[in-house]
Structure formats: structure tokens, C-alpha cells
Amino acid sequence: MSETTTTKKAAARDVVAHVERMIFSGEMEPGDSLPSETELANALGLSRLTVREAIRALEARGLVEVSHGRRPIVAHANALPLHDFFSAAVRRDARGVMELLEVRLAVEVHAAQLAATHATRADLDALEMALERMRNAVDDEVAFNEADIRFHAAVASASGNRILGFLVEGMEGPLELGRLNSIRGYRTHAASLLALVDTHKEIADAIAARDGRAAGSLMRKHLVQTRNDLRAAFSHDAGR
């Protein structure tokens, strides 16, 4: 089959679809090596160059991992596709940050409730470590934000639900600036970030006490405040 400039992209999409079917059907498992470029090219009647382009697209989507000198392998499930989707949604619409925060609220309240049931000792230790990092970073907004992200990731992990974990991880990058802005908004009515640490400790304590209702309620209260702080930051910027 000969390829023209106008058909190369369509041909690459055919390769992507072919590999996706192998992955999603269970024919190939995470860690399995893909057929070689030559094998895929011969099977589909396309050039190796087209196959190579398709493999790069699959790598960008987090479906395969590529290393020099080895065949690509099927990647383990990860949050990269969600990160890319959420990033695009936020970038294309000024309302996106607030809308994504609403998604975060729905997801993380449920994650906190589940964490109260499923958290292991290691999960509880991870929450305590994140809290300690937050306490040590109250004078550094960037470091505080990073520790805050680790706390919420630990809650999601403690839920025992991998998909919830991927959702929370996928929102981390797209919401990074929003998180920093919410900290700025918080500082408009609070002299120190220590009280914000205490808010997170209350969530961790409810999870440790196996009180799902309290954990969910406290997480909701915290994220509603985060939403209000973000709005305050936006209003402050608009008033300049």
C-alpha cells in the first residue's frame, strides 16, 4: 500500500487503533513488548516510518513506554491521559479552573470517605508525613503547595480505588496554579497557613478514626473554602 502526504495521518491513526485494540482487549498486558516496527508495518501494509509516528503518539498518551534499543512495551495504567485532557479543558476555557475544582470536590470527598474504611497503616503514615511537610513549609507557599498535593494524593491512595487515585493525580498539574492562587486568597483572611495545616489534620484524624462521614464532611468543608479562597484571589486580581 503506497502512502501519500494526505493519507499519512490517517494511516498512523490506523496503527494507533490497532495497538489500542490489542491493549484494551487484554491481548497484551502491561509490561508486554509490542510487535516490532517491521512486524506492525507488514501486518498493516504500511511503512515503518508511519508505525514509528504512531508509536510516538501512543507514548505521548501514556499507553506505551519507549526506551532506546528495545521494543516499546505496554505501559501500566497511569494518569497521563487525564492530565492532558484536564489541561486542555482548563486552557481552552477561563471557567475551566473553577469547573475542575468542582470535579475535585466531588472526587475527593468520596475518596476521604473510602479512605476511612480502607486506609492501611502505611497510608496513615503517608498522611502524617505530608502533614509534617506542610507544617515545615508554612513560610514557603510553593513548598506548602507541594506538600498539600502529597496529602491529597495520600488520601486518594488510601481510598483503595485506583481510578480515584488517577483522577486526583490527573488534576494535580492542571490545578497547580489554581492551588497557589487559593493559598494567596486564604492569606487575605488568615495571617498564617498553620490553621490550614490543622484543617488537613482534622481530615487525617477522621480517616484514622475510621469515621467516613466526618472525613467526607471535613474534606467537603475544606474544598469549599478552597473554592472561596480561589474566587477571592481572582477578585483581588480583577480589582487591581
Side-chain angles (χ1 to χ4, degrees):
M1 171 181 171
S2 62
E3 294 176 49
T4 67
T5 302
T6 57
T7 62
K8 283 183 178 179
K9 288 186 177 180
R13 286 196 295 268
D14 288 342
V15 180
V16 169
H18 177 75
V19 175
E20 283 180 337
R21 282 194 294 271
M22 290 193 296
I23 294 173
F24 297 144
S25 69
E27 179 181 343
M28 302 193 72
E29 298 289 340
D32 287 349
S33 296
L34 266 61
S36 68
E37 287 182 1
T38 299
E39 290 169 334
L40 283 171
N42 291 339
L44 299 173
L46 300 170
S47 71
R48 290 180 59 187
L49 185 61
T50 298
V51 171
R52 195 169 303 148
E53 180 181 341
I55 296 300
R56 284 197 293 266
L58 289 161
E59 181 184 21
R61 291 173 53 190
L63 292 175
V64 303
E65 297 175 3
V66 178
S67 56
H68 182 67
R70 299 180 60 186
R71 291 187 183 184
I73 64 172
V74 178
H76 289 270
N78 61 80
L80 181 58
L82 289 168
H83 172 277
D84 292 345
F85 172 77
F86 290 141
S87 294
V90 169
R91 184 171 61 248
R92 293 173 183 167
D93 190 338
R95 300 170 302 173
V97 172
M98 296 304 300
E99 291 175 341
L100 191 53
L101 183 54
E102 295 290 344
V103 175
R104 182 186 172 201
L105 197 155
V107 168
E108 294 200 43
V109 168
H110 189 51
Q113 292 169 337
L114 289 177
T117 299
H118 299 293
T120 64
R121 182 68 256 172
D123 291 324
L124 297 178
D125 289 344
L127 290 172
E128 287 300 324
M129 289 176 62
L131 285 169
E132 186 61 26
R133 289 177 64 180
M134 292 176 73
R135 291 189 191 96
N136 293 334
V138 291
D139 296 321
D140 183 337
E141 290 183 1
V142 174
F144 186 91
N145 183 52
E146 292 174 353
D148 182 29
I149 288 172
R150 297 282 67 78
F151 178 89
H152 287 274
V155 173
S157 177
S159 75
N161 186 309
R162 291 187 315 139
I163 305 302
L164 286 176
F166 290 145
L167 283 167
V168 171
E169 183 181 349
M171 288 186 281
E172 287 176 0
L175 279 177
E176 182 174 7
L177 183 58
R179 286 174 181 266
L180 286 169
N181 281 330
S182 71
I183 291 174
R184 287 175 41 229
Y186 181 83
R187 284 188 177 277
T188 65
H189 61 81
S192 170
L193 293 176
L194 281 172
L196 196 52
V197 178
D198 291 339
T199 296
H200 287 74
K201 186 177 187 308
E202 289 176 349
I203 297 170
D205 288 346
I207 291 172
R210 305 299 179 186
D211 189 340
R213 178 174 295 183
S217 177
L218 288 164
M219 181 65 82
R220 178 178 296 278
K221 180 180 178 181
H222 164 53
L223 292 177
V224 167
Q225 184 62 57
T226 297
R227 180 179 61 193
N228 293 339
D229 291 337
L230 184 54
R231 286 173 175 162
F234 285 158
S235 297
H236 181 266
D237 289 344
R240 286 181 177 178

